[in-house]
Amino acid sequence: MNLVFLGPPGSGKGTQAKVICKELGILHLSTGDLLREGVKNGTDLGTQAKKYMEAGELVPDKLIVDLIEEKLASGALNNGYILDGFPRTVPQAEALRDMLAKNKSQIDKAILLDVSNDEVIKRLSGRFFCPNCSSGYNYPAQMPKQEGICDNDGVELQRRPDDEEDVVKNRLEVYIMQTSPIIDFYRQASLLFEVPAEGALKEITNALLKVIKED
Ligand code: AP5
């Protein structure tokens, strides 16, 4: 099963992809996570990506397409996957289609997680994470036992720099201008499925699994 998760920042792509990949035994590939890891480790890719990420802009297509091509060549994607945060522009979607076609492969479904801007802003302004163990929290729904401190290891929680209000506003604009055209790209290829993604996590997971498993 080769899937793409689409949706605005904060729509729950990462949260849901983690759970569903575990359930289906397929790989979760998040370009955002790979880039953040690169920034943290000071790799070439991370160094080049940092300024774009901090401003809520997209990293240039070539850097991202090369990263995915590398993953494909390594065989890491051979047993099924969810792509979370890629593709994010029409040129990326075309490059993915062409890279997969060379391996006689393709995307089976592109699933759009549908949420309102108000919900996105609420979720991202409440998001905190532990820089040590990566545990995620969301205020006020998922509070740690002691405010600002990770339950697992007592480390002080942080916010993603791109979750600051002005950057979120730009990420939403970038989503509308540069990413939302790929909704039509997948619709025209008859691969697009839409799932309402507000409400209880478990119910959204079930709705996604239903769409994924349908013929
Ligand atoms: P990336 O990390 O992909 O950012 P994003 O798409 O903006 O994704 P988020 O992680 O913010 O949202 P999500 O939809 O995964 O939601 P999540 O599950 O985390 O990319 C970051 C940057 O990297 C980009 O801005 C760009 O610069 C660069 N980049 C990455 N890929 C690129 C590409 N292909 N091309 C170019 N540049 C690229 O949930 C968010 C919060 O909401 C969490 O706290 C979660 O707990 C909470 N939540 C989730 N579901 C619910 C629910 N049902 N109810 C209540 N809270 C919920």
Side-chain angles (χ1 to χ4, degrees), residues 10 13-15 31 36 57 85 88 92 127 138 160 171 199:
K13 301 181 296 294
T15 304
T31 42
R36 276 184 290 278
E57 297 290 335
R88 236 173 167 105
Q92 289 184 17
R127 172 159 65 181
N138 205 299
R160 268 173 50 174
R171 285 163 68 195

Side-chain angles (χ1 to χ4, degrees), residues 8-15 31-32 35-36 52-53 57-59 64 84-86 88 92 119 123-124 127 137-138 142 160 162 171 197 199 201 204:
S11 52
K13 301 181 296 294
T15 304
T31 42
L35 293 170
R36 276 184 290 278
Y52 298 100
M53 297 174 78
E57 297 290 335
L58 295 185
V59 172
I64 298 289
D84 153 17
F86 177 88
R88 236 173 167 105
Q92 289 184 17
E119 178 69 11
R123 287 182 189 178
L124 298 186
R127 172 159 65 181
Y137 298 86
N138 205 299
Q142 259 183 295
R160 268 173 50 174
D162 61 349
R171 285 163 68 195
L201 287 176
I204 299 166

Side-chain angles (χ1 to χ4, degrees), residues 63-138:
L63 288 179
I64 298 289
V65 170
D66 286 353
L67 177 67
I68 298 293
E69 196 163 25
E70 212 176 276
K71 291 285 170 195
L72 279 168
S74 74
L77 301 177
N78 285 357
N79 297 319
Y81 49 82
I82 295 178
L83 299 180
D84 153 17
F86 177 88
R88 236 173 167 105
T89 61
V90 171
Q92 289 184 17
E94 290 169 345
L96 175 64
R97 179 198 56 201
D98 297 347
M99 286 188 289
L100 292 176
K102 274 191 207 150
N103 295 330
K104 300 199 177 348
S105 179
Q106 60 182 21
I107 292 300
D108 297 308
K109 291 179 182 174
I111 304 179
L112 174 65
L113 282 74
D114 217 352
V115 299
S116 65
N117 278 6
D118 285 352
E119 178 69 11
V120 163
I121 289 163
K122 193 172 93 189
R123 287 182 189 178
L124 298 186
S125 60
R127 172 159 65 181
F128 288 80
F129 73 98
C130 171
N132 184 47
C133 71
S134 302
S135 296
Y137 298 86
N138 205 299

Side-chain angles (χ1 to χ4, degrees), residues 118-176:
D118 285 352
E119 178 69 11
V120 163
I121 289 163
K122 193 172 93 189
R123 287 182 189 178
L124 298 186
S125 60
R127 172 159 65 181
F128 288 80
F129 73 98
C130 171
N132 184 47
C133 71
S134 302
S135 296
Y137 298 86
N138 205 299
Y139 290 15
Q142 259 183 295
M143 297 281 282
K145 291 192 186 92
Q146 187 187 344
E147 191 168 344
I149 302 294
C150 179
D151 291 346
N152 296 330
D153 51 23
V155 168
E156 194 175 338
L157 300 179
Q158 290 183 1
R159 300 192 63 203
R160 268 173 50 174
D162 61 349
D163 280 348
E164 294 305 327
E165 197 180 335
D166 53 335
V167 186
V168 168
K169 200 165 158 256
N170 194 36
R171 285 163 68 195
L172 280 168
E173 278 170 18
V174 166
Y175 175 76
I176 290 165

Side-chain angles (χ1 to χ4, degrees), residues 187-206:
R187 187 177 281 125
Q188 280 165 20
S190 302
L191 294 174
L192 185 76
F193 296 80
E194 293 184 47
V195 172
E198 290 187 29
L201 287 176
K202 184 74 190 144
E203 280 170 23
I204 299 166
T205 308
N206 289 341

Side-chain angles (χ1 to χ4, degrees), residues 31-52:
T31 42
D33 286 350
L34 290 175
L35 293 170
R36 276 184 290 278
E37 202 180 294
V39 172
K40 192 171 164 189
N41 297 331
T43 63
D44 268 1
L45 176 67
T47 308
Q48 291 184 74
K50 191 168 185 272
K51 65 173 184 289
Y52 298 100

